[in-house]
Amino acid sequence: MLHKNAPSTPSGYRLLVVDDDPAQRDALLDTLSDEGYEVEVCDSPATALERARATTFHLVLTDLQMPEMDGIELTRLLQNAVPDVVVVLMTGKASVPSVVEAMRSGAIDCIQKPFRATTLLPVIERALEVQRLRASNRRLEAEVQRQFEQLVAVNGELDAFAARISHDLRGPLVNMRGILEIAREDAINQELPDPKMLGLGVESGNLALRMVKDLLDFARLGDQPMAMAPVELDKVLRDALNAVNLLTQGRNIIWDVGPLPCILGQEGLLLQAFVNLLSNAIKYTSGKEVAHIAIRAVASPSSAAEIRFSDNGAGFDSKLADQLFKPFRRLHSNDEFIGEGMGLANVRRIVERHGGAVRAKGSPGEGAEFTLTFSLINLPAVTTDQVSG
């Protein structure tokens, strides 16, 4: 039973007393409750084990000699069931071997009956200090394991990333080498090089340079200092639309743009993400006589801001959505749409640096939709002019 009058302790420690002697149980309950501990008592090891599995206790104070199970066996079972709990044994006639066995089983200390509060309380305090250290150590071990698993995953991604870069950069560099070799042979034979062939070499060089620049930009996103401040996404969108304005020349694009919220972020990086998403929408709707591009805030079940970019363009298979965010991964060939495949990788990195997430869905020939999720901030409402395309 739980002692109804036990005062709440600032440290919040919960103790479980196990003893088949009613007088001893009541005395311990009163003494420990008066010290501010939250105390529960039970008269059997089986009940104690059941309670320890069902709720959180920091310390179990148990008698050594009990009819159905002794305190040593209970200690063993508790260590397996709830490793963070500490056990202190009480005994009136313990031998040295039994005390040694109790300690080997995981008990923190052993108190000889009869005892006074002045003897008991320091033992309880020392045992709880061990419990604090044990719980802290377990948390640290769990954190180290989590970080190790993340490191293994990152190393795997880096290996795949390096292999992909090696493959993709090899293409334009091999082209350049071949074209230079042909030009060298033409020079040896005193023939004029083919201007068209040289043009292809220049294009391959430009492609390689763009890929290197994209890689550097992507790498910098990992360690770039973040100067976080309130950012009005309406302004970011206006600036992004101005940045891609040249791409819309000669196009029939119907824009559906709604008011966007204010979030905590880095305006320059958010602008880069918006420009990438708008550029993609403009590019992948180029086959449509009338393009429809929408940028709107959508309702979220949690206290988050969700910004959705959608279009009626070429789309993609939603099963392959995760591939879009990997460096140099593209779901369309260069014959269909020119690009290096770094824009969305940068978008994901930027959003994740803001503590957010990005998801994508689409359907071939029916358009694409990208949703960015950020944490909202509580600011007074700001009136802004509605963005128009």
Side-chain angles (χ1 to χ4, degrees), residues 145-220:
Q145 180 62 27
R146 185 187 66 81
Q147 293 186 2
F148 173 75
E149 291 172 356
Q150 286 182 340
L151 183 60
V152 170
V154 168
N155 284 336
E157 291 178 1
L158 286 174
D159 288 343
F161 186 39
R164 184 72 184 179
I165 292 171
S166 175
H167 175 272
D168 289 349
L169 276 176
R170 182 180 175 83
L173 293 175
V174 167
N175 285 342
M176 290 172 60
R177 179 186 175 86
I179 290 168
L180 287 172
E181 183 65 28
I182 293 172
R184 186 177 71 87
E185 291 178 1
D186 288 342
I188 291 172
N189 297 327
Q190 297 184 345
E191 297 177 4
L192 291 175
D194 182 354
K196 182 177 180 181
M197 186 68 68
L198 292 177
L200 291 175
V202 172
E203 289 180 8
S204 293
N206 289 338
L207 175 59
L209 288 173
R210 286 198 304 271
M211 293 173 71
V212 170
K213 179 183 180 299
D214 288 341
L215 283 170
L216 290 173
D217 290 342
F218 182 75
R220 290 190 185 107

Side-chain angles (χ1 to χ4, degrees), residues 333-377:
S333 68
N334 269 331
D335 292 335
E336 297 175 285
F337 302 99
I338 296 175
E340 288 81 54
M342 286 296 296
L344 291 176
N346 283 332
V347 169
R348 170 176 274 184
R349 181 68 70 89
I350 289 168
V351 173
E352 289 179 348
R353 285 295 309 277
H354 284 77
V358 56
R359 62 182 186 273
K361 68 177 183 178
S363 182
E366 297 182 11
E369 181 180 284
F370 296 88
T371 303
L372 315 183
T373 303
F374 301 98
S375 296
L376 280 170
I377 59 173

